[in-house]
Amino acid sequence: MSSLDLAMIGNCSLAALVDKNARIVWCCLPRFDGDPVFHSLLGARSGDPNDGAFSIELHGHVRSEQEYVPNTAIVRTRLYAADGAVVEITDFAPRFYKANRGFRPNAIARRVRPLSGRPRVTFRVRPGFDYGESAPEITAGSNHIRYVGPDQVLRMTTNAPITYVRHETTFILERSLSFYFGPDESLTDHPDTLCRAFEEQTETYWKHWTRRLGVPLEWQEAVIRAAITLKLCTNEETGAIVAAVTTSVPEAANTERNWDYRFCWLRDAFFVVRALNSLSEMETMENYLRYLNNIAAVMNGDHLQPVFGIGLEKDLVERIVDLPGYRGMGPVRVGNQAYEHFQHDVYGNVVVGAAQAFFDERLLHTFGEEEFRFLEAVGERAYALHASPDAGMWELRTRARVHTSSSLMCWAACDRLAKIAHKLELDERAAYWRGRADEIHATICSRAWNQELNSFVESFEGKDMDAGLLLMAEVGFLPASDPRFVATVDRIGERLRRGNHLFRYNVADDFGTPENAFNICTFWYIDALARIGRKDEAREIYETMLACRNHVGLLSEDIDTGSGELWGNFPQTYSMVGIINGAMRLSAGWESAI
């Protein structure tokens, strides 16, 4: 079982993680990459596990149950005591339409009610500021508590006895209590009335949202949960999509492979958009295209960094903060050095990510010649750099090679520009970009093919394998039936597969040889197997991956192939994308059942 037994709530403005005992252990404000006011997932400087958490403790607690309200982002946790007392906690972030506008306040709501017996409860609300360095100044009113920090003030409004909450006094829970935690603003109604209404409207929103998804026949619950999770990783205000909502959950125990994933990698976002598009969820792509347009305008034909902040921030300077780390495994990093990297696949991710907007008539704003000209500047960079060394998609910090996966996406940029130009009836530009794409294609086939191994390899004139090569068929570089692709899939299986899991690569990098499998690579392998006709094998591996999800259907970045334990930042959008893509590729058609 995974120790990342966490459920995520959110509303496309913020996100929080709730453990199986109803403790909010992670929540950054005012947005995903903000100060983790609840940070106990990464420990506390005091060593007290209650610091940096919002805990609801049931006296005599012996077990708990946790689940999502079906087809929503609302989490219910039930705590059971030895004497038969039962308490139910409902957690959510309000999200619905109000006065014909989206309502997604920077707040979380908790509703607590007794289900059985006379439960005795203790509430411990201990936010911190500056990554746990600053304890808040606390003030209280008749129905609220304010937590004053150096840069923000938070307010918790509740109908619980303020004295009991503030002093963490154990008392008998005799009625429903509600807590609304967010900005320092007064509520317009009684907190229990307001939270109950917000819950009902939030449930309605998510059920209507999921109802519009074009899901496959099989594995519907897994796909819906993955889709909701991906949606929760989007920042609706700017259109950015974060890779995960956490920082510094290590890829493997005691490896220092601890990274801050609370930013928008253009590569990861591309995969998220494609997965949600496959379910006919278009809103995320439309929002992300706004974000991309702003990046393309800022780039103006120059170097494009692979990752940006949620608000288009360019400088994501990496530093280490004084928190113990996940299970005491530091360091805890804030920021990500990858913003300084040259990762040439990013140009392809931008162009391919935007390409659908030139073809899809459902969009409120389809792209035309003006947007095409912006993307041509991106394509010129792709062509210029397709045979140049870079850090690669795995963001190697101390080694540069001409990575095949980077060159592959440079080809994809030029290929899609040719197709877009043809759609826009710009015949001269279509021929221009087709010529560039063909040149890159020939270069890859010549320099990335290893005759001795009978396989494509991870870098030009190289000899190692890399799971990124599995994308060749997905982006259309080669048909899946091409013997070279089939042979490459076989070689990757021989070199990188451990049981039913796949590693990114099997050679040492900046931190040694990887110890855990990378979940999205396993999903890429599943897709490749299905494409080349090994569908039964692909289904078996897919079922293995579904069994690796935690108790509420979420996946992190990595997995220990021996124990099945989840590692890495959580929940990882890449991994949730894999759940959707696998189901869409492998499911039987609806016509087989109805």
Side-chain angles (χ1 to χ4, degrees):
M1 292 295 293
S2 167
S3 57
L4 286 171
D5 287 331
L6 305 167
M8 182 168 75
I9 59 172
N11 61 4
C12 304
S13 288
L14 61 76
L17 299 177
V18 187
D19 74 11
K20 291 181 77 171
N21 294 323
R23 300 171 66 244
I24 295 178
V25 297
W26 187 257
C27 181
C28 298
L29 292 172
R31 63 186 198 185
F32 299 121
D33 59 353
D35 190 9
V37 295
F38 295 121
H39 54 75
S40 67
L41 178 69
L42 300 182
R45 298 169 196 238
S46 65
D48 187 335
N50 290 308
D51 287 346
F54 185 161
S55 305
I56 301 171
E57 298 176 5
L58 173 63
H59 183 74
H61 173 245
V62 292
R63 67 182 181 92
S64 61
E65 298 173 347
Q66 189 175 65
E67 62 188 1
Y68 280 105
V69 175
N71 296 354
T72 77
I74 300 170
V75 173
R76 291 219 171 103
T77 310
R78 292 184 183 89
L79 305 179
Y80 295 82
D83 63 3
V86 184
V87 172
E88 181 180 79
I89 301 98
T90 301
D91 288 304
F92 65 98
R95 178 174 175 83
F96 49 87
Y97 289 104
K98 183 177 181 181
N100 293 320
R101 295 171 56 187
F103 180 68
R104 41 175 174 76
N106 239 12
I108 53 180
R110 315 200 77 183
R111 300 189 63 221
V112 186
R113 64 190 185 107
L115 295 185
S116 178
R118 289 170 58 80
R120 298 179 64 220
V121 295
T122 308
F123 294 92
R124 304 187 195 279
V125 187
R126 300 186 188 177
F129 295 98
D130 295 332
Y131 289 84
E133 183 176 357
S134 302
E137 177 186 344
I138 298 176
T139 64
S142 58
N143 64 352
H144 72 266
I145 301 174
R146 296 170 72 246
Y147 303 90
V148 182
D151 300 313
Q152 60 180 323
V153 180
L154 302 172
R155 177 187 293 235
M156 184 178 69
T157 306
T158 180
N159 62 323
I162 292 297
T163 298
Y164 290 168
V165 175
R166 184 170 179 183
H167 296 289
E168 300 181 353
T169 302
T170 301
F171 65 98
I172 298 173
L173 182 68
E174 298 178 306
R175 59 192 171 91
S176 174
L177 301 179
S178 292
F179 299 81
Y180 190 82
F181 185 92
D184 186 25
E185 301 170 354
S186 299
L187 298 188
T188 58
D189 206 340
H190 186 280
D192 200 50
T193 302
L194 194 74
C195 288
R196 184 169 59 251
F198 280 5
E199 180 188 346
E200 292 173 356
Q201 292 173 87
T202 299
E203 181 174 345
T204 297
Y205 168 83
W206 284 112
K207 288 186 173 179
H208 283 177
W209 185 85
T210 57
R211 184 170 167 236
R212 297 195 300 268
L213 297 177
V215 298
L217 173 64
E218 298 180 83
W219 306 296
Q220 291 182 45
E221 181 276 330
V223 168
I224 291 170
R225 181 53 48 206
I228 292 174
T229 304
L230 293 179
K231 185 69 173 176
L232 294 180
C233 290
T234 67
N235 180 275
E236 197 161 70
E237 180 189 13
T238 67
I241 304 170
V242 297
V245 303
T246 60
T247 178
S248 302
V249 181
E251 294 180 12
N254 300 305
T255 58
E256 296 194 8
R257 295 177 185 267
N258 301 10
W259 318 115
D260 191 347
Y261 276 11
R262 300 171 298 160
F263 308 112
C264 184
W265 271 261
L266 304 186
R267 176 190 310 111
D268 301 48
F270 154 70
F271 283 102
V272 170
V273 166
R274 277 172 65 100
L276 290 176
N277 283 354
S278 73
L279 301 177
S280 299
E281 200 284 309
M282 310 299 295
E283 185 180 42
T284 299
M285 181 176 72
E286 290 183 307
N287 288 335
Y288 179 61
L289 290 175
R290 290 190 290 108
Y291 186 79
L292 270 188
N293 269 339
N294 282 295
I295 288 174
V298 170
M299 174 200 169
N300 195 28
D302 295 328
H303 164 66
L304 181 60
Q305 63 192 60
V307 55
F308 289 83
I310 291 169
L312 299 175
E313 294 85 1
K314 296 179 68 176
D315 297 329
L316 308 177
V317 179
E318 189 174 295
R319 61 191 175 93
I320 293 175
V321 298
D322 187 21
L323 282 171
Y326 176 74
R327 291 163 57 181
M329 300 176 191
V332 172
R333 290 187 170 95
V334 176
N336 199 299
Q337 187 200 4
Y339 83 93
E340 299 177 326
H341 289 185
F342 289 84
Q343 298 175 23
H344 299 153
D345 66 309
V346 68
Y347 301 102
N349 292 318
V350 168
V351 176
V352 179
Q356 185 165 338
F358 292 90
F359 297 89
D360 197 327
E361 298 294 337
R362 295 172 296 174
L363 297 177
L364 295 177
H365 173 65
T366 55
F367 282 6
E369 285 194 39
E370 182 178 355
E371 290 85 0
F372 174 68
R373 300 301 178 190
F374 268 121
L375 291 180
E376 282 199 300
V378 179
E380 291 293 0
R381 291 287 294 179
Y383 173 74
L385 297 169
H386 75 270
S388 299
D390 72 345
M393 69 188 306
W394 307 123
E395 303 185 337
L396 302 175
R397 295 189 169 206
T398 59
R399 185 185 74 200
R401 295 177 179 174
V402 182
H403 289 95
T404 305
S405 57
S406 296
S407 191
L408 171 68
M409 293 310 296
C410 290
W411 168 84
C414 297
D415 174 77
R416 296 323 191 262
L417 285 168
K419 292 177 178 177
I420 293 167
H422 179 74
K423 171 69 166 56
L424 297 176
E425 299 181 349
L426 302 172
D427 295 341
E428 183 178 331
R429 300 311 296 164
Y432 174 84
W433 286 111
R434 179 52 56 206
R436 291 242 189 269
D438 289 346
E439 181 181 342
I440 298 174
H441 197 284
T443 299
I444 294 173
C445 290
S446 171
R447 299 187 60 189
W449 178 259
N450 185 306
Q451 191 65 41
E452 182 179 344
L453 294 176
N454 190 39
S455 173
F456 286 101
V457 286
E458 56 86 33
S459 61
F460 285 10
E461 289 83 42
K463 56 181 174 47
D464 297 321
M465 304 308 298
D466 169 6
L469 298 168
L470 295 168
L471 297 174
M472 283 185 160
E474 180 170 335
V475 300
F477 182 82
L478 291 175
S481 59
D482 189 296
R484 293 169 295 177
F485 180 69
V486 174
T488 300
V489 174
D490 288 340
R491 191 73 65 234
I492 286 174
E494 292 172 8
R495 295 279 189 91
L496 303 183
R497 183 173 173 178
R498 302 289 184 277
N500 278 345
H501 301 279
L502 211 73
F503 283 68
R504 289 173 285 184
Y505 41 81
N506 61 350
V507 295
D509 58 20
D510 311 329
F511 293 83
T513 304
E515 297 179 19
N516 287 338
F518 204 73
N519 290 328
I520 187 57
C521 297
T522 305
F523 285 116
W524 289 344
Y525 186 59
I526 290 167
D527 184 80
L529 289 176
R531 287 176 185 268
I532 66 176
R534 292 159 61 180
K535 198 166 184 178
D536 289 344
E537 185 179 357
R539 287 178 69 94
E540 177 191 339
I541 300 174
Y542 183 71
E543 292 284 1
T544 297
M545 292 304 297
L546 291 187
C548 291
R549 296 175 300 157
N550 75 2
H551 65 295
V552 290
L554 306 185
L555 277 174
S556 64
E557 180 184 53
D558 308 271
I559 194 163
D560 184 316
T561 58
S563 67
E565 184 173 5
L566 297 179
W567 289 89
N569 281 308
F570 180 90
Q572 176 76 357
T573 53
Y574 253 161
S575 301
M576 305 311 291
V577 161
I579 292 172
I580 293 173
N581 290 347
M584 297 299 286
R585 174 67 57 189
L586 297 171
S587 174
W590 281 94
E591 67 278 4
S592 68
I594 56 176

